[in-house]
Amino acid sequence: GINAEYMGYTYAQHLEWLRDFVEGVDVRGATAVLQDWGGLLGLRLLAEDADARGGRFRRAVVANTVLPTGDVNTPEGTGDLNAAFFDWKAWVRDTRLAGRSIGRCLGRGVGTRRPLTEEEKAAYDAPFPDEAYKAGARRFPELVPTRSSDGTGRPQPAQTAENAAAWEQLAAHPIPMLCAFSDEDPVMRGLESLFLRHLPGCRGQPHVTIEKVGHFLQDGSAAQLSEAIINFVKHNPTGSKL
């Protein structure tokens, strides 16, 4: 277990790794489904591709995610995260995800529709056979861009200006974008309003609320999410224009 806390484990480094992968496999005409850090990273690549007219991404689904801009707060409201996020950030720092915390955390985060089984929780703990393997998981909450008023007292200004620029690029060069947020996610619930307000690609799309599901909606209701994605793709066939 390489200690990621001392190995350049940064937002920028993860963007570089993801960019290398997308370019390496030469993604073309894809529908990007972006949840949690998938949005913080994927929306940046979508913005780069849209600005360059690269054609790698034809559509995007944003699901329980955000692209935060901290004190830059451009466009308006994108710098704000709620108290539940700062509680989560503090909890990870305080507990260091000791023991079987990751499986239990996933179990609490799927919502009421389909609780995880004990076997599923154990599967989520399996990649972390001892504490040394959790350095990355402990680091991720600290990488989320936040305002100087960060409720933990540990503001994160890195990548705030770059995220604001990405919002501008996504607005200027829209692709069809679906919001599929869930109703039991205490951190992300309601943040779809930012995408609906600021990105023209959201207009006229069949947006949905994934019901009785928490943050991890892929586990909480894969059926609802899959149906929403399929309907969205049908609504925006190849060659369609905004």
Side-chain angles (χ1 to χ4, degrees):
I2 295 173
N3 193 330
E5 290 162 312
Y6 302 99
M7 294 295 291
Y9 207 82
T10 65
Y11 194 153
Q13 182 63 70
H14 276 83
L15 277 170
E16 183 177 342
W17 286 328
L18 183 58
R19 188 182 296 112
D20 286 348
F21 170 78
V22 168
E23 293 175 355
V25 299
D26 197 23
V27 170
R28 294 287 169 187
T31 299
V33 180
L34 309 174
Q35 189 265 345
D36 194 82
W37 266 92
L40 279 80
L41 298 170
L43 286 167
R44 288 283 298 275
L45 296 193
L46 260 68
E48 293 174 9
D49 186 66
D51 190 48
R53 304 295 203 280
R56 295 194 183 279
F57 303 101
R58 183 167 291 134
R59 318 168 191 84
V61 179
V62 287
N64 294 351
T65 192
V66 68
L67 188 63
T69 60
D71 285 337
V72 178
N73 197 35
T74 303
E76 186 272 327
T78 58
D80 298 320
L81 296 168
N82 66 18
F85 170 76
F86 296 113
D87 288 346
W88 156 249
K89 182 176 176 179
W91 180 80
V92 173
R93 177 71 169 259
D94 291 344
T95 66
R96 295 187 62 79
L97 299 174
R100 300 183 65 184
S101 298
I102 291 176
R104 290 196 299 270
C105 178
L106 268 291
R108 291 194 299 268
V110 298
T112 58
R113 179 176 291 274
R114 194 197 75 83
L116 291 188
T117 66
E118 291 304 313
E119 291 78 10
E120 287 171 320
K121 294 176 190 177
Y124 276 112
D125 281 319
F128 309 98
D130 63 51
E131 299 304 304
Y133 288 82
K134 296 176 183 175
R138 291 192 292 258
R139 183 66 178 147
F140 260 118
E142 302 291 332
L143 300 182
V144 176
T146 61
R147 286 180 177 270
S148 54
S149 57
D150 183 313
T152 67
R154 299 188 303 278
Q156 176 55 268
Q159 299 296 316
T160 53
E162 292 87 345
N163 283 0
W167 278 100
E168 183 177 351
Q169 291 163 340
L170 290 167
H173 307 293
I175 63 171
M177 185 172 292
L178 177 76
C179 294
F181 282 63
S182 58
D183 59 359
E184 295 182 359
D185 182 351
V187 175
M188 300 293 179
R189 182 176 55 221
L191 290 181
E192 65 268 33
S193 64
L194 297 174
F195 297 96
L196 296 170
R197 189 189 327 159
H198 296 303
L199 296 185
C202 291
R203 294 171 188 161
Q205 300 301 332
H207 304 294
V208 298
T209 298
I210 308 300
E211 297 179 346
K212 297 183 179 179
V213 174
H215 183 67
F216 302 107
L217 69 178
Q218 305 95 321
D219 287 287
S221 186
Q224 286 187 79
L225 181 60
S226 298
E227 181 180 3
I229 295 168
I230 291 167
N231 289 339
F232 171 57
V233 172
K234 290 179 178 177
H235 190 76
N236 298 275
T238 302
S240 62
K241 301 292 184 181
L242 288 174

